[in-house]
Amino acid sequence: RLVFSDRLDWNTHLVYKAMANLSVDTPVFNSHTSGVDMLFAGVPLLTLPCETMSARVAASLLLASSDAALVARDLPDYTAIASRLASRKGAASLRRVRARIQQGRGAAALYDTAATVRALERALRMHFQAAARHKLQKREGCAPHVVVTDR
């Protein structure tokens, strides 16, 4: 069943998203913000990562939300997971997946905006420092090297 609506405020938008039992992502061009919204609303998101960056976004979202179980390995796996979760026999499994997603929202990296901002700031500082070192090393004939870690 599809639910259509007019433009809504964000909270009402999430209420509409939460009505879904399962979000089945398109393999060629994945959901981006819509995928984040679905996960934030507690809706399981099934995806099949492919070659291009735009075809791997949802897998990254799921990994950051600590739920890699919904990242299919290949097309037969994608079809099998979707069929199982959408069937009456898969209803209990779907409820467990949904509960896991809702419980993980508090701890998952995907929703830790402050940590993401800190990591981005750290990466930008490292980039700036590396650029400054590069200017110095360029004069001395050395190539710059940057390693980004969680520390």
Side-chain angles (χ1 to χ4, degrees):
R1 176 170 63 118
L2 299 175
V3 177
F4 293 93
S5 70
D6 292 326
R7 189 173 179 93
L8 304 167
D9 65 272
W10 192 68
N11 289 326
T12 306
H13 169 75
L14 289 180
V15 169
Y16 270 72
K17 294 271 188 192
M19 290 181 196
N21 294 321
L22 175 66
S23 179
V24 181
D25 202 24
T26 56
V28 175
F29 193 89
N30 288 179
S31 59
H32 290 69
T33 304
S34 296
V36 172
D37 289 351
M38 292 308 266
L39 291 169
F40 195 82
V43 177
L45 173 65
L46 172 63
T47 192
L48 172 62
C50 292
E51 293 297 317
T52 64
M53 184 280 300
S54 60
R56 294 188 308 270
V57 172
S60 295
L61 296 176
L62 285 162
L63 293 172
S65 72
S66 303
D67 203 340
L70 293 174
V71 178
R73 293 182 309 271
D74 52 31
L75 191 55
D77 189 40
Y78 177 77
T79 305
I81 294 170
S83 298
R84 180 176 46 84
L85 293 177
S87 72
R88 290 189 194 273
K89 291 180 181 179
S93 179
L94 184 60
R95 280 192 300 275
R96 284 190 300 276
V97 170
R98 190 176 184 112
R100 188 173 66 234
I101 289 169
Q102 290 171 347
Q103 290 167 355
R105 282 193 312 214
L110 179 64
Y111 308 107
D112 191 348
T113 306
T116 301
V117 169
R118 286 191 305 273
L120 177 60
E121 289 171 340
R122 186 174 58 249
L124 291 172
R125 274 193 302 276
M126 291 175 71
H127 178 73
F128 178 77
Q129 291 165 353
R133 278 193 312 272
H134 177 63
K135 286 181 183 177
L136 177 64
Q137 292 169 344
K138 193 173 180 183
R139 282 182 257 152
E140 298 171 4
C142 298
H145 182 73
V146 177
V147 176
V148 179
T149 66
D150 289 337
R151 291 174 265 164

